[in-house]
Amino acid sequence: TPEAGRVVFENVTFGFPGAEKPVIKNVSFAAEPGKTTAIIGSTGAGKTVLLNLALRLYDPQQGSITVDGAPVSELTRDQLADTLSLVPQRPYMFSGTIGSNLRFGRTAATDEELWEALRVAQGEDFVRERELGLDEPVSQGGTSVSGGQRQRLSIARALVSKPKVYLFDDSFSALDVATDARLRAALPSATQGATTIIVAQRVSTITDADQILVIEGGEIVGRGTHDELLGSNEVYQEIVRS
Ligand code: CTP
Ligand code: MG
């Protein structure tokens, strides 16, 4: 269906219980299948909270969030987990192996699919270098892999699950610029047709996005393509300069 993977926020307002002010204020946007929506803004702006709202870690006080035309509040945990994959800002590893961490419950995924996901996520080389490859043990918390490696394994894990919606929360910032560029060049064909939402720190990560949302203090203060925002949005211009 044309709605498949479409994520729509409508006048969403959310505050943490007991807090005086909401951290998300009247946010509306649509993230379309086959397109990339980028979210950029300073630290504390509400980017992570926005993604977590889509996953229904919290429920908004006002407004609605729908995926595939259905309110997320009516989807089960399993339906949500099947539809949306989050690469969290601080990726986690479970005790097990690299392979079991990539499968993460998707027992049907073949080794070949894992290698393909690793190739896209720029994680193939360091896994191949490990003596046991996919069977290499990983400790809980992932202390045996570096932060950047953990981030790439986490991206590969999302790719293995083949969701309709990818949520990348600052997933490229621990990568050097060259690896970031290679990964983003490989990503479109691997995620073709899916809805992609990318929270980014570096403007260079999102210049190609179909739509960029500039968020400040929980509000959308600008939206458009890179070129449109560069010409018209002061907050975006400031981010580009910094
Ligand atoms: N916040 C909170 N309680 C939480 C999580 C977040 O009160 N459990 C607040 C933060 O203090 C912040 C706001 O919610 O004022 C938005 O937080 P967040 O979405 O995490 O900000 P990001 O834009 O993701 O910031 P960063 O770039 O640092 O990740
Ligand atoms: Mg964040």
Side-chain angles (χ1 to χ4, degrees):
T1 69
E3 290 272 282
R6 188 165 195 252
V7 179
V8 179
F9 276 59
E10 242 175 66
N11 302 320
V12 171
T13 294
F14 169 77
F16 286 99
E20 251 175 63
K21 287 197 230 149
V23 290
I24 299 296
K25 295 168 205 154
N26 206 30
V27 163
S28 299
F29 69 92
E32 305 290 348
K35 304 239 157 127
T36 297
T37 295
I39 302 173
I40 199 161
S42 53
T43 181
K47 304 179 297 293
T48 295
V49 170
L50 264 192
L51 297 189
N52 287 344
L53 281 165
L55 283 172
R56 230 192 136 206
L57 263 61
Y58 330 114
D59 284 319
Q61 276 90 26
Q62 283 167 47
S64 73
I65 303 165
T66 59
V67 178
D68 280 355
V72 290
S73 56
E74 287 170 15
L75 299 178
T76 65
R77 285 236 153 268
D78 282 352
Q79 284 173 319
L80 279 170
D82 279 343
T83 310
L84 305 109
S85 275
L86 170 72
V87 178
Q89 196 165 12
R90 282 169 207 81
Y92 42 84
M93 293 287 136
F94 305 98
S95 80
T97 62
I98 289 181
S100 70
N101 265 280
L102 293 180
R103 278 197 182 88
F104 186 42
R106 312 261 156 187
T107 44
T110 62
D111 281 7
E112 212 155 284
E113 289 173 301
L114 302 192
W115 283 116
E116 174 57 17
L118 284 168
R119 191 188 61 74
V120 173
Q122 309 300 310
E124 188 180 2
D125 288 355
F126 77 78
V127 177
R128 287 222 190 272
E129 278 164 18
R130 303 280 164 130
E131 207 180 326
L132 298 174
L134 292 172
D135 294 327
E136 187 79 13
V138 176
S139 59
Q140 191 174 351
T143 45
S144 52
V145 285
S146 76
Q149 289 170 341
R150 200 155 52 227
Q151 218 162 16
R152 282 176 279 169
L153 290 174
S154 184
I155 292 164
R157 176 191 289 156
L159 291 165
V160 167
S161 75
K162 297 193 169 70
K164 286 183 194 163
V165 182
Y166 288 92
L167 307 171
F168 294 105
D169 193 351
D170 204 5
S171 303
F172 311 103
S173 57
L175 309 176
D176 60 79
V177 173
T179 306
D180 178 17
R182 276 200 303 277
L183 205 162
R184 281 180 302 97
L187 215 48
S189 65
T191 61
Q192 209 170 28
T195 304
T196 301
I197 303 181
I198 296 184
V199 167
Q201 297 247 337
R202 280 201 283 258
V203 169
S204 66
T205 306
I206 57 156
T207 43
D208 295 342
D210 298 288
Q211 158 179 244
I212 299 169
L213 308 174
V214 185
I215 170 165
E216 193 179 55
E219 286 178 279
I220 295 181
V221 296
R223 69 178 82 209
T225 62
H226 173 73
D227 287 340
E228 286 164 1
L229 288 166
L230 209 52
S232 67
N233 190 271
E234 278 179 29
V235 178
Y236 193 75
Q237 290 163 352
E238 184 59 39
I239 293 168
V240 171
R241 271 198 296 272
S242 63

